[in-house]
Amino acid sequence: MSGNPMEEKRLKLSILVNNYNYAPFLRACIDSVLKQDYPEYEVIVVDDGSTDNSREIIASYGSQIVPVLKENGGQASSFNAGFAVATGEIIFLLDSDDAFLPGKLRKIARLYDREPLDWCFDRVTTVEGEEPAQSVEVEMYDQRDAIRRGHYPSIPVPTSGLSFRRGLLAQILPMKTAKDVVLSDNYLKFAAVYLGRGAIASTPLTFQRIHEANRYTGTSRASSLRPKIMIATGLELARRYSGLQALGKGLIAGGIAEADTPFTQLRTEARRALADGPFERAAVSQIAIAAARKRLIRKLKGYRNDNRT
């Protein structure tokens, strides 16, 4: 890999690029990693059964990258497949329609080298061609006690801004798979916050591309998918981690509240959502009441906003 030969080799990094029919953006994505000025990393490109010319683009890189070609199984399955072959100590995730800004790997690796971090998430920019800042503003983040009490961590960072120490990610992956968007990046972020201490770089180090072919971000179907994602994320977090029962219930209640479910059907919807969940019987009533409260609060806020205009 390209890099500064004078820079001391430290942590080996693995970048997991997940791709499905994003051929128009794939080369720019891969090149943004290959041009990084860090000396020790591997680029693993997982193609999730693309039907465009993505695999021809992947093949053109030869030994510069590690290709993983699989049948279509959804983004989560790509994370699982990429991690299975990764050899780095620090694992970065990257959607194939996004790109790393110059210097990202060096700057994030330095944080891991200097601090006892389990994860590090960096903010993104949606401005193509934006020059990266020379210095990085970083906030240390340890909310393990708060998330166990059911508090939502606020982490406005998408998939391409996520990185994890290998040992931590091994406690999160493999994750439950689905061909559509079901478990979101919130599953990864909430699990990481629960399991370890991290940092958030408020300085953008990643470019997130917003375009017509986005499968979720900025799309018209995002609002209809969001309740489903919240419920699935809450169920899986509570099922996998005993300390995330309260957070899981909150996410499920929030998803039910956001769906177009009549008030009279909230309990029925809660029972349906918890049918294969890890909760006790009383959780149905708890979640139905919480969903009703969230729905009322949202309606009240909407009423107040309407009256101000």
Side-chain angles (χ1 to χ4, degrees):
M1 298 301 177
S2 60
N4 182 353
M6 300 301 293
E7 186 172 353
E8 180 184 357
K9 290 188 177 182
R10 293 176 180 175
L11 299 169
K12 181 178 180 181
L13 315 179
S14 295
I15 296 84
L16 309 187
V17 178
N18 67 93
N19 177 72
Y20 176 67
N21 285 345
Y22 274 170
F25 316 115
L26 181 56
R27 192 172 294 279
C29 173
I30 296 174
D31 289 348
S32 77
V33 184
L34 294 178
K35 292 177 181 178
Q36 294 288 314
D37 58 353
Y38 186 83
E40 186 69 17
Y41 65 91
E42 62 184 359
V43 186
I44 299 168
V45 182
V46 182
D47 185 77
D48 190 34
S50 293
T51 56
D52 59 8
N53 65 324
S54 289
R55 296 198 172 184
E56 287 80 0
I57 294 172
I58 292 169
S60 72
Y61 283 91
S63 61
Q64 290 181 286
I65 65 175
V66 178
V68 177
L69 310 179
K70 57 185 286 298
E71 295 182 356
N72 182 245
Q75 187 184 48
S77 71
S78 294
F79 295 155
N80 296 342
F83 184 62
V85 302
T87 61
E89 170 61 23
I90 308 299
I91 313 295
F92 292 75
L93 304 184
L94 179 58
D95 289 340
S96 60
D97 53 342
D98 298 336
F100 285 170
L101 297 187
K104 168 170 172 167
L105 294 186
R106 171 174 46 83
K107 292 169 182 174
I108 297 296
R110 184 177 297 160
L111 290 173
Y112 278 107
D113 193 47
R114 293 178 177 178
E115 301 287 343
L117 301 177
D118 297 303
W119 53 266
C120 184
F121 304 154
D122 62 275
R123 296 288 187 93
V124 303
T125 177
T126 56
V127 179
E128 189 167 10
E130 180 174 332
E131 290 296 320
Q134 292 302 310
S135 60
V136 180
E137 294 186 9
V138 179
E139 175 190 358
M140 296 303 155
Y141 197 97
D142 190 345
Q143 294 293 319
R144 284 174 285 187
D145 289 338
I147 199 171
R148 285 181 174 90
R149 295 194 300 269
H151 294 182
Y152 284 55
S154 177
I155 307 176
V157 177
T159 301
S160 297
L162 307 184
S163 68
F164 310 84
R165 202 173 287 276
R166 181 182 190 86
L168 182 87
L169 196 56
Q171 299 177 64
I172 301 173
L173 298 181
M175 59 192 291
K176 188 175 181 179
T177 62
K179 289 191 176 182
D180 202 351
V181 180
V182 177
L183 289 185
S184 69
D185 49 22
N186 276 338
Y187 172 80
L188 298 169
K189 291 185 289 189
F190 291 171
V193 171
Y194 168 69
L195 293 168
R197 176 179 181 268
I200 298 178
S202 58
T203 306
L205 297 174
T206 302
F207 166 60
Q208 182 183 31
R209 191 186 304 273
I210 306 300
H211 54 92
E212 293 181 355
N214 278 129
R215 286 189 285 277
Y216 181 75
T217 304
T219 66
S220 58
R221 72 181 192 137
S223 59
S224 61
L225 274 175
R226 180 177 159 84
K228 180 180 179 182
I229 291 172
M230 291 177 70
I231 292 170
T233 300
L235 281 170
E236 191 60 20
L237 285 170
R239 181 181 291 114
R240 187 154 185 176
Y241 307 107
S242 59
L244 291 182
Q245 296 273 317
L247 179 73
K249 290 178 182 178
L251 285 168
I252 295 166
I256 293 173
E258 289 195 16
D260 293 329
T261 305
F263 270 99
T264 56
Q265 295 299 312
L266 289 178
R267 183 179 176 83
T268 300
E269 190 61 29
R271 185 181 296 110
R272 182 181 298 113
L274 300 185
D276 60 346
F279 302 107
E280 70 284 357
R281 185 177 302 178
V284 171
S285 296
Q286 295 169 1
I287 288 174
I289 292 170
R293 185 181 298 114
K294 290 175 183 291
R295 178 82 63 83
L296 286 170
I297 290 172
R298 192 168 67 250
K299 285 182 176 293
L300 181 59
K301 287 181 178 179
Y303 174 77
R304 288 174 175 171
N305 290 336
D306 289 343
N307 284 344
R308 288 174 185 160
T309 57

